[in-house]
Amino acid sequence: MRAIERVLPITRNQRIRVLQYLLDSVLACGGPLLVTGVILVFHLHPLIPNITILYLLVVLGLAIMRGRYAAILSAVVAFFSLDYLIVPPLYNLFVYRIEEEIELFTFLIVAMLTGQLAAAMSEREKQAKRQAEQEAQAQAGELSAIFEAMTEGVSVCDARGEIRYTNTAYRSLLALEEDFDPSLLQLDTRLEWLAIRDLEGRLLSKEQYPLLRVLRGERLSGAHSMDVMCCNYKGENIIFSVSGAPIRDATGQVIGGVVVFRDVTRQRHIAEQLQYSEQKLRSLVESNIFGVVVVDIDGRFYEANDRFVQMIGYSKEELLSGAITWQQLNLPEYQEVTAQAVGAVLSTGAMHPYEKEHLHKDGSRAPILIAGAMIDQERELVLMVILDISERKEIERRKQEFLSMVSHELRTPLTSIMGLIELALMQIELHSRSLPPEAEGLLKQIEKTLKRADGQVEVETRLVEELLEVSRLELHKFELVLQRENLVTIVQETVANQQQAARARQIELVLPPEELVPMLADACRIGQVLTNYLTNALKYAPVDQPVSVCLKVEASSARVSVCDQGPGLTEEQQQRVWERFYQVAAPGQRGPDRGLGLGLAIARAIVEQHQGQVGVQSAPGHGSTFWFTLPIEVSPKECPTDRN
Ligand code: ADP
């Protein structure tokens, strides 16, 4: 069926061609014969010498209008009709004179050449026209393909603003159905539902409409493109970036316009959000509550707020010109911690808060707290927030000084009170037997009271001692006397002492097969740590439950743990028990066992100064295991003192 359909037009073409040949032949024969008739009727030959030129005109006309075939045929017909009907002897193809024969043949050749030439020229012209038409068609096709491929909406309008063409994107941006009513796009109707507004939502006046501006000859491109808000056919708001240009004819007259619509709603919203967050950050930076800087990984400043400038004494110009770098504000002793922070920001993108001191322009040191985050991976830019903590540090220092002073002042009278109580007890012991029985009874009572007072003084002394320790720690006056020691001995001695003090309690000791666990340590301080763990375990575990102490050797370190069946600790409590003054249960606990929540903080400081670690494993209701590790001394040079 399709094949037949294809063949049909070819047959039709052939028929048309035959008809054309027939018409050409009729015109080619009729034209010259008509001219011959005119010549004969009006006896123009030989009245007018060059009357044959009339035939040439016919040939020329046919060549231009009907082509080569008609031109040549008409030349031949003209030749014969001239010879047969006009040049004597008439009705005969012979001529009397040779000149007449030459003249006739010259006429034939000229006629044929003229026809040929004219036909060739006319054909060339037609071909050029056809080619121009094809090119124009191809260009129109290309243009329409480009418009269809565009994601921007395109509309082409005539000089009155009526739409002549829209691409698919235009229709989909405006939510028009495929079979929409074309009257919707009539200028007035469309401007009505589009409700074109500026970005603040104010309706535009007609002169401001992008299309009408274009039709007035304006070019809307680059900086002159317009951002407007419109409604699509569903009534949803869309923000368009509109550009356009007028279409002019050869005389420069505007005959229409092309307008291109780009949907920038999303970009606008993102830009607005960015602007909002930028504004939030800006106001925070400009509030100058804390110092804010942006530096690259080489320490070059890109931004610094007034608060930071105030903190370090250098001007903004000095910082931003590159004359001063972040590294120059660093003190040598903080190089390691700074390098760690840089490493963290490079690998994780964030720098957790850490304290350090930096160098002020006047050479003084200023304590600061820093935190930061990478804000530009490519340029490796880091935003840092810096808090001036000099006031806090000063308060802390004064507090510690005060604590240390108070503890000292309390310790001296406490020592004398203890001495005096002991003296009084000794005197009672000495004289009790030489006194009458009623005085002896009184003395016994005084002795009891004195012993109770002694117990209280002991508690007070321990508390004061802990306070002193903490202030020493804070003021970095906590010094260790490191010697080669055997950890086995320290553990054994401490456990024995505790067992002595709490005879009723059961303390199990598990030692490693090694008799010697050598290390560089301050034996007293390590003993103090274990004592603290043990007293806590005895204090918090039920009296009928044993407490076990275990010493283990693990690769390059030794681990001491104290395990009890006490109340146990929650996750949060396990973290917090190492803080100063933190107490889980009854903070107001009174009695000989009462503490200040300082023991574990001191223990941790001691262990960490020995390059060890502390920790606890526990669960509420399942007891606790407090542990510490210490590095084993590997040097085989000297044997530690065995104090047994
Ligand atoms: P304190 O002098 O108050 O005992 P510590 O620093 O030694 O101070 O301990 C801090 C807190 O940790 C204690 O108040 C106690 O609540 C809790 N704690 C310590 N050891 C244990 C333990 N073995 N079992 C349960 N809680 C404990």
Side-chain angles (χ1 to χ4, degrees):
M1 189 67 182
R2 273 200 186 152
I4 297 167
E5 273 172 7
R6 275 195 186 175
V7 170
L8 272 176
I10 297 169
T11 323
R12 205 179 298 138
N13 276 348
Q14 278 173 347
R15 204 179 299 151
I16 290 168
R17 217 174 293 157
V18 169
L19 283 175
Q20 277 177 348
Y21 272 117
L22 261 173
L23 182 66
D24 285 350
S25 309
V26 171
L27 288 173
C29 296
L33 289 176
L34 190 71
V35 171
T36 311
V38 170
I39 293 172
L40 287 175
V41 171
F42 297 104
H43 305 287
L44 299 178
H45 184 80
L47 197 69
I48 302 171
N50 287 329
I51 195 64
T52 51
I53 210 138
L54 279 180
Y55 291 105
L56 287 183
L57 284 178
V58 171
V59 172
L60 206 66
L62 285 171
I64 292 167
M65 280 158 57
R66 303 297 307 173
R68 187 174 286 120
Y69 166 73
I72 290 174
L73 185 62
S74 67
V76 173
V77 174
F79 169 77
F80 282 113
S81 60
L82 192 62
D83 190 1
Y84 198 74
L85 296 171
I86 293 175
V87 180
L90 295 181
Y91 314 118
N92 199 324
L93 287 177
F94 292 109
V95 284
Y96 296 122
R97 288 182 293 133
I98 185 79
E99 297 84 32
E100 278 174 346
E101 197 158 348
I102 292 172
E103 202 177 323
L104 271 174
F105 274 103
T106 311
F107 166 79
L108 178 65
I109 291 167
V110 168
M112 282 174 82
L113 279 177
T114 310
Q116 184 83 2
L117 210 69
M121 277 170 67
S122 141
E123 226 156 78
R124 195 174 303 161
E125 197 181 316
K126 274 186 200 156
Q127 207 172 347
K129 205 168 152 193
R130 251 200 319 271
Q131 200 172 334
E133 264 172 21
Q134 275 171 0
E135 273 172 18
Q137 230 166 25
Q139 268 179 5
E142 263 174 38
L143 213 61
S144 126
I146 292 171
F147 282 169
E148 286 307 309
M150 279 168 73
T151 48
E152 285 93 352
V154 178
S155 71
V156 181
C157 301
D158 62 18
R160 286 176 298 118
E162 293 303 341
I163 285 183
R164 291 277 157 261
Y165 168 84
T166 57
N167 68 348
T168 316
Y170 176 90
R171 296 185 294 275
S172 84
L173 283 174
L174 295 182
L176 290 168
E177 302 283 326
E178 258 189 36
D179 53 347
F180 70 94
D181 175 4
S183 69
L184 286 178
L185 287 187
Q186 274 172 6
L187 183 64
D188 289 333
T189 325
R190 116 176 153 254
L191 291 182
E192 202 172 300
W193 59 262
L194 276 172
I196 307 175
R197 284 148 290 155
D198 64 14
L199 296 182
E200 270 77 52
R202 289 180 297 246
L203 275 173
L204 294 190
S205 68
K206 225 171 173 184
E207 302 81 69
Q208 292 171 304
Y209 288 161
L211 171 67
L212 300 186
R213 284 179 61 182
V214 164
L215 292 179
R216 282 202 305 269
E218 268 187 71
R219 242 187 121 80
L220 304 179
S221 61
H224 297 287
S225 62
M226 281 177 81
D227 280 1
V228 293
M229 206 187 314
C230 295
C231 283
N232 65 11
Y233 193 57
K234 284 188 190 157
E236 295 158 343
N237 276 328
I238 311 177
I239 301 172
F240 284 122
S241 164
V242 187
S243 47
I247 305 172
R248 295 175 192 275
D249 63 9
T251 61
Q253 180 94 8
V254 176
I255 52 161
V258 185
V259 183
V260 179
F261 303 83
R262 191 154 58 90
D263 183 356
V264 290
T265 320
R266 228 174 93 81
Q267 286 101 305
R268 270 270 154 189
H269 285 321
I270 293 172
E272 271 168 22
Q273 272 168 3
L274 266 176
Q275 206 180 348
Y276 175 62
S277 12
E278 159 90 20
Q279 209 175 329
K280 272 196 296 189
L281 191 71
R282 261 292 129 226
S283 45
L284 206 63
V285 170
E286 280 160 14
S287 67
N288 287 322
I289 299 167
F290 35 66
V292 178
V293 291
V294 174
V295 290
D296 66 14
I297 222 73
D298 300 321
R300 203 193 134 90
F301 286 92
Y302 285 78
E303 230 177 283
N305 70 346
D306 296 342
R307 183 74 187 97
F308 182 72
V309 165
Q310 200 186 337
M311 272 189 222
I312 50 149
Y314 289 101
S315 71
K316 245 184 210 178
E317 291 68 43
E318 281 173 299
L319 297 175
L320 302 183
S321 66
I324 299 294
T325 63
W326 179 258
Q327 276 81 348
Q328 280 166 272
L329 306 177
N330 267 339
L331 288 156
E333 60 264 44
Y334 292 103
Q335 246 162 25
E336 201 182 316
V337 64
T338 309
Q340 275 171 7
V342 171
V345 87
L346 280 177
S347 57
T348 64
M351 180 193 285
H352 291 294
Y354 69 99
E355 286 183 12
K356 66 179 227 177
E357 288 175 307
H358 69 201
L359 202 58
H360 192 275
K361 190 178 184 180
D362 63 14
S364 63
R365 290 161 166 251
I368 50 170
L369 178 77
I370 310 179
M374 181 79 83
I375 52 164
D376 186 338
Q377 287 280 358
E378 221 164 88
R379 293 193 292 159
E380 296 191 321
L381 292 185
V382 182
L383 178 123
M384 289 198 281
V385 177
I386 301 124
L387 207 63
D388 182 352
I389 52 168
S390 35
E391 252 174 58
R392 196 192 85 195
K393 285 279 166 191
E394 182 54 25
I395 292 169
E396 268 177 31
R397 197 187 57 78
R398 286 210 205 125
K399 195 179 83 188
Q400 288 313 322
E401 262 180 14
F402 171 75
L403 219 65
S404 151
M405 194 230 346
V406 170
S407 321
H408 268 293
E409 296 309 310
L410 286 176
R411 206 161 62 149
T412 324
L414 275 177
T415 321
S416 3
I417 292 170
M418 269 173 89
L420 291 172
I421 290 174
E422 230 141 82
L423 190 70
L425 284 171
M426 270 168 59
Q427 281 173 348
I428 290 171
E429 178 91 33
L430 270 175
H431 303 292
S432 61
R433 272 171 230 129
S434 55
L435 291 173
E438 43 307 351
E440 203 181 319
L442 184 68
L443 270 186
K444 281 266 180 249
Q445 259 187 5
I446 294 173
E447 188 184 8
K448 238 165 123 186
T449 315
L450 278 174
K451 279 189 178 160
R452 283 228 310 272
D454 192 38
Q456 290 300 311
V457 174
E458 250 178 56
V459 170
E460 218 54 50
T461 313
R462 184 169 51 79
L463 295 181
V464 169
E465 202 52 53
E466 278 188 353
L467 272 177
L468 249 177
E469 293 271 69
V470 167
S471 46
R472 275 194 212 114
L473 269 177
E474 305 269 320
L475 296 174
H476 302 288
K477 287 183 185 162
F478 188 87
E479 275 168 24
L480 296 177
V481 185
L482 294 178
Q483 281 185 344
R484 291 215 154 73
E485 300 286 354
N486 182 0
L487 187 60
V488 179
T489 315
I490 301 174
V491 171
Q492 276 175 331
E493 278 182 4
T494 313
V495 171
N497 289 342
Q498 283 305 306
Q499 188 66 81
Q500 183 78 16
R503 291 205 183 134
R505 304 295 297 270
Q506 192 188 343
I507 304 176
E508 292 168 357
L509 175 62
V510 183
L511 291 171
E514 296 90 344
E515 280 182 8
L516 180 68
V517 179
M519 60 184 48
L520 261 183
D522 185 325
C524 272
R525 292 295 188 185
I526 298 300
Q528 186 184 344
V529 173
L530 183 53
T531 304
N532 185 264
Y533 280 14
L534 258 172
T535 48
N536 278 348
L538 293 169
K539 188 160 49 169
Y540 297 110
V543 280
D544 56 339
Q545 293 291 327
V547 167
S548 66
V549 178
C550 176
L551 169 60
K552 259 195 206 164
V553 175
E554 304 170 332
S556 59
S557 66
R559 181 187 174 98
V560 180
S561 53
V562 177
C563 176
D564 66 58
Q565 307 302 314
L569 298 161
T570 64
E571 282 287 330
E572 195 211 332
Q573 289 164 349
Q574 290 173 44
Q575 302 281 324
R576 299 205 55 197
V577 285
W578 307 99
E579 290 172 17
R580 284 175 298 140
F581 301 108
Y582 178 79
Q583 290 178 305
V584 175
Q589 181 188 3
R590 291 282 169 260
D593 283 347
R594 74 172 185 264
L596 290 172
L598 291 172
L600 290 176
I602 297 169
R604 179 165 80 164
I606 294 172
V607 172
E608 282 176 357
Q609 282 211 27
H610 279 84
Q611 317 305 324
Q613 283 176 344
V614 294
V616 56
Q617 282 160 354
S618 180
H622 293 93
S624 315
T625 302
F626 280 83
W627 57 265
F628 63 87
T629 59
L630 292 171
I632 295 176
E633 166 79 317
V634 280
S635 158
K637 276 186 283 174
E638 262 178 71
C639 197
T641 0
D642 190 334
R643 297 192 296 166
N644 267 345

